[in-house]
Amino acid sequence: MAGKYFVYDQFIDLLLHLHRQDPGQGYGKKALEIFERKQGRMFLEDMGKSGARRFADLPAELRQREEELEAQADKLKADLTAASQAGAAKSQALQALHKRLEEVQAAQESLKNDLKVRYPAYFALKYPRPATLADLQGPVLKDGEILLVYGVMAGRTALWVVGKKDFAVFTLDVGDKALAEKIQAFR
């Protein structure tokens, strides 16, 4: 996933652009939610690399079943893409691949629901729920507190200012590389 995070940044950039054009439509809030999803995805990737999931008390057979279903789904998606590009749009083979993918995804969803109930600690690690604006403005922040959320992207930095009842978005024309250079010069 590391090479694909730019998609999140592009979506956030689009939402920020729409926010500048029409601030009342909630695009800034949606941009914050997408940023939180990106952060959750990055956290999940880091957790996977560190092997921390092994310490969440999940039996090995369930972890193996989950990995098998993920591998099956990935292979079926790749097969579907290849079949579609080969021009087999209405073939029985393509329909069979779609049906099998739906079955695997249903099995994944069933396993996920089981994990949520039986192994909540593992579920929280594996499937983190991004914070929403309502989460932050609800129980997280107290009156008089302000949360500054910086989203450093390739071309710019976003700053979300979140209070119990307040919300604002600012963009700073400094991207990740320029910011790293400024930090290095400061140090």
Side-chain angles (χ1 to χ4, degrees):
M1 277 293 292
K4 296 179 178 55
Y5 291 127
F6 72 93
V7 174
Y8 285 101
D9 291 349
Q10 289 176 344
F11 190 28
I12 292 166
D13 256 348
L14 172 64
L15 290 168
L16 292 174
H17 175 74
L18 292 171
H19 174 77
R20 283 190 299 278
Q21 289 180 339
D22 194 356
Q25 291 299 312
Y27 295 119
K29 294 174 183 178
K30 185 66 176 173
L32 175 62
E33 290 179 10
I34 298 303
F35 175 73
E36 286 297 322
R37 284 181 194 237
K38 174 187 171 189
Q39 294 300 98
R41 178 86 228 84
M42 291 170 67
F43 174 74
L44 184 59
E45 291 291 317
D46 288 344
M47 292 299 288
K49 288 177 192 169
S50 72
R53 294 187 327 200
R54 282 183 254 140
F55 303 106
D57 295 329
L58 182 71
E61 62 273 4
L62 284 177
R63 188 171 52 246
Q64 182 179 355
R65 175 71 177 142
E66 183 182 43
E67 290 170 0
E68 287 170 0
L69 288 171
E70 287 172 0
Q72 287 176 17
D74 289 345
K75 176 152 180 17
L76 287 165
K77 288 175 187 174
D79 291 348
L80 273 167
T81 300
S84 294
Q85 290 174 347
K90 297 193 180 193
S91 74
Q92 289 181 341
L94 192 61
Q95 291 172 358
L97 286 170
H98 273 294
K99 186 174 189 298
R100 180 67 185 129
L101 180 59
E102 288 173 4
E103 291 169 357
V104 169
Q105 288 174 331
Q108 283 180 302
E109 196 59 35
S110 175
L111 178 61
K112 203 166 141 180
N113 290 335
D114 187 40
L115 292 172
K116 186 176 185 177
V117 172
R118 293 177 48 206
Y119 303 95
Y122 174 76
F123 185 84
L125 278 176
K126 175 70 180 191
Y127 306 101
R129 187 178 72 80
T132 64
L133 184 61
D135 291 337
L136 296 173
Q137 290 180 320
V140 174
L141 292 172
K142 295 179 180 74
D143 287 330
E145 290 182 336
I146 296 288
L147 177 66
L148 302 176
V149 180
Y150 287 91
V152 180
M153 297 171 283
R156 74 182 80 246
T157 297
L159 168 61
W160 292 275
V161 180
V162 181
K164 188 78 171 170
K165 295 177 182 143
D166 303 311
F167 178 82
V169 182
F170 302 95
T171 55
L172 311 168
D173 290 327
V174 61
D176 57 356
K177 290 179 183 163
L179 187 59
E181 289 172 6
K182 288 179 185 256
I183 290 170
Q184 185 63 31
F186 178 76
R187 286 183 178 160

